[in-house]
Amino acid sequence: MRILYAAGICLLLSNAATPQTPETAHNPHQRLNFDAGWKFHLGDIPETSESAANVPAAATPAFNDKPWRSLDLPHDWTIEGEFSQNNSTGQQEGGLPAGIGWYRKTFKLPATAKDKVYIDFDGVYRNSTVFLNGQELGKRPNGYISFRYDLTPWLKKGADNVLAVRVDNAAQPNSRWYTGSGIYRHVWLEIQPAASVTIDQWGILASTASLSERQGRLHVATTLRAIQGAQAVTIQQTVYDAEGRQIATGSLPYTVNDTLSTVQQDLVLTGPKAWSPDRPYLYTLETRLMLGPKLIDRQSTRIGLRDFHFDNRQGFLLNDRHLKIKGVCLHHDLGALGAAVNTAGMRRQLLILKEMGCNAIRTSHNPPAPEFLDLCDEMGFLVMDEAFDMWQKKKNKFDYSLDFPQWHRRDLADQVRRDRNHPGVFIWSIGNEIREQFDKSGIELTKELTAIVRANDPTRPVTSAMTEPDTLENNIWQAGVLDVMGLNYHQQIYDEVLQKFPGHPFLATETTSAEETRGHYDMPSDSIRRWPTSAKVPAVGVNRDYTVSAYDNVSAYWGSTHEETWRLAKRNPVVAGLFVWTGFDYLGEPTPYRWPARSSYFGIVDLAGFPKDSYYLYQSEWSSKPVLHLFPHWNWRPGEMVDVWAYYSQASEVELFLNGKSLGVKRKEGDELHVQWRIPFEPGVLKAVSRLRGKTILEEEVHTAGAPARLQLIADRTTLHADGNDLAYVTIRILDANGYLVPNADTQVSVDITGEGTLAGMDNGYQADLESFRGTRHKAFNGLCLAIVRAKKKAGRITLRVSGAGLPPASLDITSL
Ligand code: GAL
């Protein structure tokens, strides 16, 4: 009685304030998370069922999966393995094991016989085959695509059902970077009444038709799917602002005649708030499908209003204002967590990049997880959403080129339809460094793929990340259908792009490929190394400890240092923007080294999420905050000549002091991006002071450190959600007795977690570290180590105790709510 009464009040109150907010209205269409309670077996189960020929035994309800491991998704079995040179993935994919795995989930649904039930997989790497109660529902080779099956025909209402998924990542190599293996993204169950008309999956396309400070016009195209013709429905569109207030609504009666029909509507918003990286304002669009007075389907779409265009002279304009695209490329792995999707992990990456002043991400070279795009919308990142790394011509023996002929149309259309309402997504890339650019077959394929994108999203430009700058030789460009010239590297031609690609906007779709190991410095800092030097001279074993200097003085021959490319892109308005390869180090592709190097050196931030020095170069150039970054560390041999660099911004000069004595004032001259001193080392304190018109802006010190004496723990967050997924990233710093970071400490640390949390992984950011990410012990590297703590589903306190050889233990409490 009391509950009913309370509910009634609640309804009355919310009715009075905002009739039918997204939260209060009944939704016949439910989307349930389906991640919990799976069973997993690593390896194949080759036996077929006794009762049904050709059906794998592990797919049948009768199969005994009790001995299998219990787990919740998302799950990546590859990251759980041990590094080995003998793993079939090889060094390019990170040297961890791949293979075949099976997943099963037993579930009951209430006996609502009229419902339609779908299962949605956000992504399975790769070659998945899905079965329900022994019936094969389908296969999907592409490891990055989202897909759905209709469970309804084989579903037993009110009884046990068994869903089984075989994942086959055995054929190796199939990638140029770490992929992970398994059901590494979320799974959802969608339940809706078996109505004769519904809103089609990914059936809504909401776009900004026009935008001014006074008024915005939202165009909504809704695709309806009917199983029986000639029905009179009404489509209601309502827009709510971020506070849940209804601000626009419109209704359209429509007679459905065909299986698929698309209904066009316009809504006018007064005084709209435009979406931008600086103010990522989001609205919610509610689409309701009515049959008479009855609500038969309903969908909620988060949208942003923004207006943009490319200009071949001015670059990129967002909401009528010039915006340089300051982007980075990202692969999808989360370092020690592998490919298993985690919103807290992705948010941390994006927060670190946001602080740097980055405003755009290229999801190289595949469709990302949906949650990644949600975060980009919320946090203000433009996204170049990329489809493929290869078409018909392979880059690896068992890669997607084998599936391309049969699947590319479906995969590309599904990607575009899934992602087209994200305000952050501003351009589609139909491929990265596709070999068909050198072959006439590239012309027809480019036309076909571009047409697929346009048919599903006529509102955004299409590009491809190409490498051939000679337009006559480049068959993708020759197709004549791309909106934007997308070129990887070749920064030396930025000054000529107007002549080379007349009439077309230009985007540096991939740049730089500088290589660095955090905290390692090779002198002299001002001599630039190309590792490798050329395609013919590989740079193997260049530093015996598999490090690369972090002075921004090393790059691959096809790329440049960070400064070399940014200097050229910065001064040239014709270059709409750039995507630096890469924001974070990723597993695999450890150019310039062979084994035991197993993760990349290209990141501005290392694999553990610790910024390298070049992070502050970008921060000084891209962000609006004053920056002063002084490096390297100050632990050298007495008398050794050391190059000291400072990145700075919002100041006109920097003065350097060693043990209180001035070593002179330096200013960036011309297009310089840092200042440098070359001085003999003497232990003590190095101090930099940045000034503007005589006023001190910032000061920074680096101290000579003594031996490791204690541990310092710093968590990025100390309050977590008790949802089984939320994460705290705890940085473990090795300090000397005076509290200064010991810059070369490789102390072995052990982590013990008690209470309502578990250890999700450990890392130190060193590219040739072969310790498992899953151990409770890990060596620090150059003074730092990382422990990732995962909240359990139960609220409470989490205590982390860290000990390090010979050092007093340290502890930290995290609250999980
Ligand atoms: C590019 C390629 C990237 C990565 C990079 C390394 O050519 O598109 O995927 O391999 O080189 O420098």
Side-chain angles (χ1 to χ4, degrees):
M1 194 55 185
R2 268 175 61 200
I3 294 170
L4 276 178
Y5 178 70
I9 295 270
C10 194
L11 198 68
L12 275 176
L13 282 178
S14 63
N15 273 347
T18 49
Q20 291 235 312
T21 64
E23 292 74 31
T24 54
H26 164 70
N27 194 350
H29 188 148
Q30 291 178 57
R31 184 169 163 81
L32 310 172
N33 183 279
F34 212 52
D35 289 342
W38 289 73
K39 290 287 202 167
F40 172 69
H41 170 79
L42 181 56
D44 204 4
I45 310 273
E47 298 83 37
T48 52
S49 148
E50 281 173 17
S51 51
N54 298 327
V55 176
T60 61
F63 184 84
N64 177 18
D65 61 19
K66 283 223 172 60
W68 289 15
R69 175 176 153 199
S70 298
L71 53 74
D72 292 345
L73 304 176
H75 172 241
D76 168 12
W77 79 70
T78 289
I79 202 69
E80 297 172 346
E82 299 288 332
F83 289 106
S84 163
Q85 206 169 356
N86 302 324
N87 281 329
S88 60
T89 49
Q91 186 214 22
Q92 284 301 304
E93 287 180 54
L96 290 164
I100 295 175
W102 275 91
Y103 296 84
R104 282 168 60 99
K105 174 162 168 144
T106 305
F107 65 100
K108 252 196 190 100
L109 280 188
T112 44
K114 288 204 193 106
D115 285 341
K116 270 277 208 193
V117 182
Y118 299 96
I119 184 131
D120 285 348
F121 291 88
D122 286 348
V124 181
Y125 202 90
R126 68 187 299 274
N127 280 323
S128 62
T129 314
V130 179
F131 304 85
L132 179 67
N133 298 329
Q135 174 68 43
E136 183 179 320
L137 304 178
K139 292 187 194 302
R140 196 72 177 226
N142 189 326
Y144 300 106
I145 207 75
S146 298
F147 56 93
R148 131 176 311 193
Y149 296 111
D150 183 356
L151 301 183
T152 323
W154 294 278
L155 202 60
K156 297 184 224 148
K157 309 277 164 76
D160 271 352
N161 292 278
V162 178
L163 197 69
V165 184
R166 180 178 185 271
V167 183
D168 185 350
N169 191 20
Q172 293 289 341
N174 62 43
S175 175
R176 300 187 298 111
W177 61 88
Y178 178 86
T179 63
S181 314
I183 310 181
Y184 71 102
R185 292 183 182 164
H186 295 292
V187 181
W188 308 90
L189 211 59
E190 288 227 358
I191 305 177
Q192 58 187 132
S196 48
V197 193
T198 53
I199 302 167
D200 197 27
Q201 186 195 19
W202 303 318
I204 291 169
L205 169 57
S207 56
T208 310
S210 66
L211 184 62
S212 69
E213 275 182 22
R214 211 168 41 81
Q215 176 178 302
R217 214 154 52 81
L218 182 74
H219 184 76
V220 188
T222 310
T223 301
L224 303 177
R225 180 174 288 273
I227 42 176
Q228 147 200 332
Q231 293 175 82
V233 295
T234 305
I235 304 111
Q236 254 177 36
Q237 309 283 4
T238 311
V239 178
Y240 299 91
D241 69 10
E243 284 74 46
R245 284 184 298 248
Q246 179 179 315
I247 54 156
T249 189
S251 243
L252 190 75
Y254 185 82
T255 304
V256 180
N257 283 314
D258 303 312
T259 314
L260 284 177
S261 41
T262 300
V263 187
Q264 315 284 346
Q265 284 162 282
D266 278 303
L267 296 168
V268 173
L269 284 74
T270 311
K273 295 195 176 73
W275 182 97
S276 70
D278 285 342
R279 189 186 59 173
Y281 193 89
L282 296 174
Y283 294 93
T284 302
L285 169 71
E286 285 287 314
T287 306
R288 297 187 183 88
L289 180 64
M290 315 288 297
L291 192 61
K294 198 169 163 222
L295 179 67
I296 51 171
D297 201 355
R298 182 173 165 193
Q299 257 184 50
S300 175
T301 312
R302 252 186 5 168
I303 54 165
L305 272 87
R306 81 280 186 279
D307 177 40
F308 69 85
H309 65 276
F310 283 91
D311 179 281
N312 76 320
R313 284 177 185 271
Q314 294 182 69
F316 183 70
L317 290 104
L318 179 68
N319 305 325
D320 275 338
R321 288 164 70 171
H322 177 258
L323 181 82
K324 191 88 165 183
I325 297 161
K326 297 166 182 166
V328 299
C329 304
L330 284 183
H331 273 314
H332 67 304
D333 76 76
L334 293 172
L337 303 180
V341 160
N342 185 287
T343 298
M346 295 188 295
R347 186 183 290 116
R348 173 186 182 242
Q349 283 199 334
L350 291 172
L351 273 173
I352 291 171
L353 293 170
K354 190 87 189 169
E355 280 284 290
M356 187 176 89
C358 169
N359 62 19
I361 308 287
R362 171 188 184 211
T363 66
S364 41
H365 306 295
N366 46 260
E371 295 75 18
F372 184 81
L373 294 178
D374 289 341
L375 286 168
C376 289
D377 292 344
E378 286 162 22
M379 297 171 71
F381 286 94
L382 294 163
V383 177
M384 170 167 155
D385 198 338
E386 191 153 71
F388 304 116
D389 191 45
M390 73 294 289
W391 295 348
Q392 275 164 4
K393 290 188 188 298
K394 66 171 183 272
K395 291 187 179 171
N396 273 295
K397 191 164 177 199
F398 296 105
D399 66 22
Y400 179 77
S401 61
L402 299 173
D403 310 302
F404 184 89
Q406 191 189 337
W407 284 99
H408 68 276
R409 291 177 202 89
R410 177 78 192 274
D411 285 343
L412 183 59
D414 284 359
Q415 172 185 4
V416 172
R417 285 164 62 79
R418 190 198 70 170
D419 293 350
R420 62 190 177 172
N421 289 315
H422 288 279
V425 175
F426 78 112
I427 194 165
W428 304 104
S429 163
I430 54 172
N432 172 60
E433 300 191 351
I434 297 296
R435 299 226 150 127
E436 281 84 345
Q437 62 190 305
F438 309 110
D439 182 293
K440 289 276 175 253
S441 67
I443 296 180
E444 281 318 303
L445 277 172
T446 304
K447 287 185 184 163
E448 187 197 19
L449 295 169
T450 306
I452 292 170
V453 175
R454 295 219 170 96
N456 291 287
D457 178 17
T459 75
R460 289 178 180 84
V462 183
T463 192
S464 180
M466 298 173 281
T467 48
E468 178 51 73
D470 182 342
T471 48
L472 296 175
E473 299 291 320
N474 184 330
N475 291 285
I476 294 182
W477 186 248
Q478 280 296 318
V481 292
L482 295 185
D483 300 299
V484 173
M485 175 67 198
L487 192 65
N488 289 3
Y489 305 97
H490 296 287
Q491 63 282 350
Q492 55 285 353
I493 69 159
Y494 287 178
D495 288 345
E496 300 155 42
V497 295
L498 268 185
Q499 295 81 43
K500 283 195 181 295
F501 318 111
H504 281 277
F506 178 88
L507 184 60
T509 38
E510 185 178 317
T511 70
T512 313
S513 279
E515 300 152 14
E516 285 147 7
T517 297
R518 172 186 51 80
H520 178 85
Y521 305 93
D522 289 334
M523 313 288 163
S525 64
D526 49 6
S527 83
I528 290 173
R529 295 93 157 140
R530 306 292 177 203
W531 290 359
T533 317
S534 75
K536 295 197 190 84
V537 189
V540 175
V542 174
N543 277 353
R544 260 188 278 153
D545 58 358
Y546 304 95
T547 56
V548 179
S549 173
Y551 272 124
D552 190 21
N553 58 344
V554 189
S555 87
Y557 71 85
W558 55 89
S560 76
T561 66
H562 292 285
E563 291 195 0
E564 284 172 324
T565 289
W566 172 240
R567 197 176 283 133
L568 294 167
K570 175 186 177 177
R571 71 169 187 223
N572 191 342
V574 174
V575 178
L578 79 173
F579 288 95
V580 179
W581 189 267
T582 45
F584 276 65
D585 280 346
Y586 50 95
L587 286 160
E589 205 180 36
T591 310
Y593 291 115
R594 297 222 171 115
W595 193 263
R598 49 58 171 167
S599 55
S600 88
Y601 292 75
F602 296 123
I604 300 167
V605 181
D606 78 12
L607 195 70
F610 304 136
K612 303 178 189 175
D613 297 294
S614 50
Y615 178 90
Y616 302 96
L617 159 71
Y618 289 109
Q619 197 176 49
S620 70
E621 288 287 302
W622 288 4
S623 84
S624 54
K625 62 174 67 159
V627 171
L628 175 61
H629 179 68
L630 179 68
F631 62 105
H633 57 75
W634 208 236
N635 276 48
W636 302 88
R637 284 189 303 272
E640 194 173 356
M641 292 304 286
V642 183
D643 288 350
V644 175
W645 285 35
Y647 295 125
Y648 68 91
S649 63
Q650 298 179 28
S652 55
E653 60 181 40
V654 179
E655 185 165 5
L656 185 70
F657 299 88
L658 177 56
N659 295 328
K661 194 171 142 251
S662 174
L663 299 177
V665 172
K666 299 258 177 174
R667 293 179 188 88
K668 291 187 269 193
E669 306 289 349
D671 60 2
E672 282 176 353
L673 296 168
H674 72 271
V675 286
Q676 185 202 314
W677 294 260
R678 179 161 296 162
I679 56 174
F681 174 72
E682 139 193 330
V685 190
L686 198 62
K687 177 176 171 179
V689 180
S690 67
R691 295 193 197 97
L692 183 64
R693 290 187 282 276
K695 190 174 152 249
T696 297
I697 301 294
L698 288 170
E699 296 188 353
E700 201 183 291
E701 291 184 357
V702 184
H703 291 248
T704 304
R710 65 184 176 92
L711 301 165
Q712 181 187 27
L713 310 182
I714 302 173
D716 67 337
R717 297 164 64 213
T718 49
T719 307
L720 299 182
H721 303 290
D723 61 3
N725 277 319
D726 207 4
L727 303 174
Y729 283 78
V730 182
T731 302
I732 303 165
R733 303 179 80 226
I734 316 295
L735 305 183
D736 73 358
N738 295 316
Y740 301 124
L741 183 82
V742 184
N744 53 3
D746 61 355
T747 315
Q748 170 94 50
V749 297
S750 302
V751 171
D752 178 44
I753 295 181
T754 51
E756 302 309 326
T758 55
L759 183 64
M762 290 188 76
D763 190 13
N764 60 23
Y766 175 40
Q767 291 104 340
D769 175 29
L770 297 185
E771 295 169 281
S772 162
F773 293 120
R774 291 302 160 107
T776 54
R777 284 148 50 97
H778 214 98
K779 274 188 157 180
F781 175 71
N782 285 345
L784 300 178
C785 195
L786 176 77
I788 310 170
V789 180
R790 185 192 300 270
K792 292 183 185 168
K793 288 186 180 165
K794 191 161 158 250
R797 179 190 291 196
I798 305 169
T799 301
L800 177 84
R801 285 190 191 79
V802 184
S803 52
L807 307 180
S811 72
L812 179 98
D813 282 342
I814 293 167
T815 310
S816 183
L817 300 172

